């Protein structure tokens, strides 16, 4: 096995470099993966544009990327408990400890010791998937059927975010649903809600092109959150308001508006990451309307279910991949991914 590999390292804001980098260690219980495709996430964009992501400030150059399809090429451990050599997999990039109360109760996404691929949340940062190879724990891997190509495989992670959010809302069957934010996560949430039996699914976004993308992807209704007669439109669609609102934009104005557009007894599920400052919320509305305000963070144990949704055709990922570029054009790929008007999911071919 060679000692080095090609990898894209973030050195600072707007400073990505394709370099030779050491091969990852293969500790017991881990598998070595040859990367095939990597998606660019919003957090990757924050690191690229600002040099940091929220409160996560990298202490050294590191490798971005956590949405991936890869092939298992080596393993260190009992073969019966690890994916077979040659298997094609996607990866849950959040490695929980497996021993704490959260992990034991099935809420691994809340584990305080989680290590996230391609993240500056640890010191030193944890390297990600924008490289030729990566090593992960065997239980992070999820086998991909032949019907799911490499591009779709690298979309399973964001779909898992959407699926977890829909599950956090409880039963969506027969409900009227609004998703605020027409980016990748918002649209995947809308389609997941629709596939779960929601009778009306609307998407709200201030960008006209994103509203068009939402209609093209199969949602029922699109709304402009800045429209003056928005409340009247919502009454026509849903009477007293939407049963469930998923806030996926990460905009404080969208979250505040959700409290006005949700029906009494309805639920608001917060998926989007807001800025780090506290924002005022209408506590009296929460009380008077008996609104359920629910957080949704990453994903629980939903990767295999997300794979089945794609394999069955209930979720069509084809409209989402709007660009595929080689690793040596990573800066171009990042700039394309940052185009909120024309791009949904940009991926890197390794």
């Amino acid at each position: 096995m060679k000692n080095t590999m090609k990898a894209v390292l973030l050195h600072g804001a707007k400073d990505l470099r394709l370099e030779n980098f050491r091969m990852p260690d293969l500790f017991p219980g881990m598998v070595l993966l040859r990367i095939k495709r990597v998606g660019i996430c919003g957090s990757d964009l924050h690191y690229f544009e600002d040099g940091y992501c929220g409160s996560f400030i990298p202490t050294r150059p590191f490798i971005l990327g956590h949405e991936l399809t890869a092939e298992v090429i080596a393993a260190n451990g009992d073969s019966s408990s690890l994916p077979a050599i040659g298997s094609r997999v996607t990866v849950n990039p959040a490695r929980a400890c497996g021993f704490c109360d959260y992990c034991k109760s099935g809420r691994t996404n809340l584990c305080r010791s989680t290590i996230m691929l391609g993240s500056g949340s640890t010191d030193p940062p944890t390297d990600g998937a924008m490289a030729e190879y990566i090593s992960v724990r065997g239980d992070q891997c999820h086998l991909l059927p032949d019907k799911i190509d490499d591009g779709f495989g690298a979309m399973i992670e964001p779909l898992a975010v959407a699926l977890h959010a829909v599950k956090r809302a409880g039963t969506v069957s027969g409900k009227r649903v609004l998703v605020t934010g027409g980016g990748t996560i918002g649209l995947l949430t809308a389609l997941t809600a629709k596939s779960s039996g929601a009778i009306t699914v609307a998407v709200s976004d201030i960008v006209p092109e994103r509203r068009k993308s939402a209609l093209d992807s199969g949602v029922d209704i699109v709304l402009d959150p800045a429209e003056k007669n928005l409340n009247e439109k919502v009454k026509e669609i849903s009477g007293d308001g939407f049963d469930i609102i998923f806030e996926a934009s990460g905009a404080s104005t969208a979250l505040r508006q959700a409290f006005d557009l949700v029906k009494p007894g309805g639920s608001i599920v917060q998926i989007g990451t807001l800025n780090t400052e506290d924002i005022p919320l209408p506590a009296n509305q929460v009380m008077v309307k008996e609104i359920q305000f629910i957080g949704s963070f990453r994903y629980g144990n939903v990767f295999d279910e997300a794979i089945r949704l794609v394999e069955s055709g209930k979720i069509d990922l084809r409209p989402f991949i709007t660009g595929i570029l080689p690793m040596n054009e990573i800066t171009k790929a990042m700039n394309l991914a940052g185009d909120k008007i024309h791009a949904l999911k940009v991926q890197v071919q390794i």
Side-chain angles (χ1 to χ4, degrees):
M1 182 70 69
K2 58 184 182 179
N3 295 321
T4 62
M5 64 177 179
K6 292 291 185 183
V8 173
L9 273 78
L10 178 82
H11 285 260
K14 305 285 188 179
D15 187 3
L16 286 169
R17 306 177 195 175
L18 182 60
E19 303 177 0
N20 287 320
F21 194 71
R22 67 181 183 278
M23 285 287 292
D25 296 316
L26 187 60
F27 295 112
M30 302 188 82
V31 293
L32 182 66
L33 305 179
R34 179 185 289 116
I35 307 296
K36 291 174 169 286
R37 187 76 65 84
V38 183
I40 296 174
C41 175
S43 61
D44 297 320
L45 281 173
H46 281 300
Y47 282 118
F48 172 66
E49 292 171 353
D50 304 320
Y52 59 91
C53 182
S55 61
F56 301 149
I57 303 173
T59 55
R60 65 156 172 81
F62 77 111
I63 304 168
L64 296 175
H66 59 267
E67 304 173 3
L68 66 140
T69 296
E71 179 188 356
V72 179
I73 63 167
N76 185 353
D78 181 2
S79 60
S80 65
S81 62
L82 297 173
I85 305 300
S87 299
R88 202 166 54 95
V89 298
T90 190
V91 170
N92 179 342
R95 189 174 79 210
C97 75
F99 300 103
C100 68
D101 289 342
Y102 299 112
C103 289
K104 289 179 179 178
S105 64
R107 305 190 73 178
T108 54
N109 60 315
L110 300 182
C111 174
R112 302 294 90 184
S113 301
T114 293
I115 296 174
M116 185 75 179
L117 295 180
S119 174
S121 59
T122 54
D123 184 13
T126 302
D127 291 312
M130 288 188 186
E132 290 182 294
Y133 302 94
I134 194 170
S135 62
V136 299
R137 208 166 60 195
D139 62 352
Q140 292 177 259
C141 296
H142 297 266
L143 297 176
L144 291 173
D146 292 339
K147 287 180 67 174
I148 296 182
D149 67 19
D150 293 344
F152 291 174
M155 286 284 298
I156 296 299
E157 192 268 355
L159 178 57
V161 173
L163 180 57
H164 179 69
V166 171
K167 287 180 175 292
R168 290 285 292 151
T171 301
V172 300
S173 180
K175 302 293 181 66
R176 292 177 173 86
V177 169
L178 170 66
V179 179
T180 57
T184 298
I185 297 298
L187 292 186
L188 287 172
T189 302
L191 295 184
T192 303
K194 194 172 178 69
S195 74
S196 300
I199 57 173
T200 302
V201 177
V203 168
S204 167
D205 201 291
I206 59 172
V207 179
E209 289 82 1
R210 288 204 163 181
R211 296 198 294 272
K212 181 180 183 303
S213 293
L215 286 175
D216 291 343
S217 69
V219 305
D220 302 308
I221 300 164
V222 292
L223 298 170
D224 180 354
E227 192 170 342
K228 290 183 179 179
N229 64 342
L230 178 64
N231 288 339
E232 287 72 20
K233 277 197 169 184
V234 170
K235 285 182 180 179
E236 292 174 8
I237 298 165
S238 60
D240 282 342
F242 290 97
D243 298 294
I244 304 170
I245 297 179
F246 296 95
E247 202 304 286
S249 71
S252 58
T253 52
L255 175 57
R256 176 60 187 84
Q257 190 177 65
F259 288 89
D260 297 328
L261 302 183
V262 71
K263 71 180 296 184
S267 300
I268 299 170
V269 181
Q270 183 65 35
I271 313 170
T273 301
L274 295 133
N275 59 38
T276 55
E277 296 178 3
D278 287 339
I279 62 171
L281 293 177
N284 281 339
Q285 280 199 60
V286 174
M287 179 267 293
V288 172
K289 294 172 70 175
E290 291 196 347
I291 297 169
Q292 297 184 80
F293 185 36
I294 302 165
S296 183
F297 181 58
R298 289 185 188 147
Y299 21 70
N301 186 24
V302 298
F303 272 69
D304 290 334
E305 186 175 349
I307 290 169
R308 289 194 295 271
L309 282 173
V310 177
E311 184 182 22
S312 68
K314 290 183 177 180
I315 299 288
D316 183 6
L317 296 177
R318 285 175 296 179
F320 286 87
I321 302 173
T322 51
I324 304 169
L325 286 86
M327 189 162 56
N328 60 5
E329 295 185 22
I330 183 60
T331 298
K332 182 179 178 181
M334 284 288 186
N335 287 327
L336 179 60
D339 183 349
K340 293 184 178 180
I341 293 177
H342 300 105
L344 279 175
K345 179 59 64 177
V346 175
Q347 297 182 336
V348 179
Q349 183 73 42
I350 306 298

